[in-house]
């Protein structure tokens, strides 16, 4: 089984994992920290990482055509759902906001999310690029397991939640034990068509995006379906179909 490196505090497990790639660490090596002082989210956003969350980065090595790299984020999202299902207590209520947000249902609609709150997120960063091929990357996963002791910061108060808030009383290490082996053993399977089709079926069935009116990078419309590569097909109000391969989805509640 590949190494799991546990840190007490680090700026970002993404940076720490990247440094391990430079030292030759193997595929599946996981860096996990109790606390990050400069956790990173997508699109250059900060990621709030107090104690009580699972803050994990995994080294991904392979020969991944850059056009297939989105499969890794999507595959990891499906595996994260499987891990959350396995810990019990959520009754398969977790869902994915395409492409990388882990959500839990919530009674009070939130701006840009609808009847959901964000419990986690995924971040894939390519590290070694060789022409059009990704040789190494870092997959980051953050999951709010316990409510931060001083609560979520004001800017997250109406969009974030934790497993604890959803009634799941579990240690961070138990979530790590559910998630890390799945990612280590199965993430690269997402590059194979048959395995990816299975992961995609999970994402379609457990999507908080499909069937909703959304805005993605200035285009507003109905999130109709995910195509066979997992791209989001968006029907705008004029009837045109937009295929979105990456982006930030805002739900028009
Ligand atoms: C997102 O939703 O924007 C992605 C968030 C990813 C956060 C995780 S926490 C562990 C790893 N280290 C980081 O600095 N970021 C990722």
């Amino acid at each position: 089984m590949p190494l799991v490196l546990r840190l007490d505090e680090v700026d970002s497990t993404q940076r720490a994992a990247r440094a391990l790639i430079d030292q030759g660490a193997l595929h599946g090596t996981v860096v996990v920290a109790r606390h990050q002082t400069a956790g990173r989210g997508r699109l250059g956003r900060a990621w709030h990482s107090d104690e009580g969350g699972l803050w994990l980065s995994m080294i991904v090595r392979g020969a991944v055509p850059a056009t297939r790299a989105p499969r890794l984020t999507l595959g990891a999202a499906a595996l994260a759902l499987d891990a959350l299902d396995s810990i019990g207590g959520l009754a398969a209520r977790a869902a994915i906001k395409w492409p990388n947000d882990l959500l839990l249902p919530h009674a009070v609609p939130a701006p840009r999310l609808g009847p959901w709150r964000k419990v986690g997120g995924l971040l894939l960063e390519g590290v070694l690029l060789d022409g059009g091929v990704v040789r190494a990357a870092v997959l980051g996963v953050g999951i709010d397991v316990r409510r931060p002791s001083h609560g979520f910061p004001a800017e997250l108060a109406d969009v974030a939640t934790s497993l604890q808030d959803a009634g799941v009383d579990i240690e961070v290490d138990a979530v790590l034990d559910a998630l890390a082996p799945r990612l280590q053993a199965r993430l690269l399977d997402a590059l194979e068509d048959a395995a990816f089709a299975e992961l995609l079926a999970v994402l379609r069935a457990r999507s908080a995006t499909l069937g909703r009116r959304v805005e993605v990078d200035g285009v507003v419309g109905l999130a109709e379906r995910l195509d066979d590569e997992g791209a989001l097909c968006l029907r705008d109000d004029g009837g045109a179909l937009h295929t979105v391969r990456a982006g930030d989805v805002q739900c028009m509640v």
Side-chain angles (χ1 to χ4, degrees), residues 56-142:
L56 166 162
S57 296
M58 188 182 91
I59 291 173
V60 181
R61 284 194 191 268
V64 183
T67 51
R68 290 205 158 186
R71 286 186 174 205
L72 296 176
T73 307
L74 295 166
L79 293 171
L81 284 183
D82 190 42
L84 291 177
D85 290 351
S86 78
I87 63 180
L90 287 174
R93 282 179 295 153
I96 300 296
K97 179 166 86 77
W98 183 92
N100 76 312
D101 287 348
L102 296 166
L103 305 185
L104 290 175
H106 197 277
V108 183
R112 302 178 303 283
L113 276 180
W116 302 94
R117 293 286 186 278
K118 180 162 171 167
V119 72
L122 300 106
L123 172 69
L124 184 76
E125 296 179 316
V127 176
L128 289 177
L129 298 167
D130 173 7
V133 177
V134 181
R135 300 276 172 199
V138 177
L139 172 75
V141 186

Side-chain angles (χ1 to χ4, degrees), residues 213 219-222 234-242:
R213 189 169 165 76
V219 181
V220 176
L222 177 71
L234 191 65
R235 181 81 59 185
D236 72 21
D237 294 343
L241 195 63
H242 301 253

Side-chain angles (χ1 to χ4, degrees), residues 13 18 22 38 45 56 59 78 107 129 139 164 174 182-183 200-201 223 249:
T13 55
R18 181 181 279 247
D22 295 340
R45 295 174 184 142
L56 166 162
I59 291 173
L129 298 167
L139 172 75
Q164 183 181 27
R182 283 174 167 80
L183 294 175
L200 207 45
V249 174

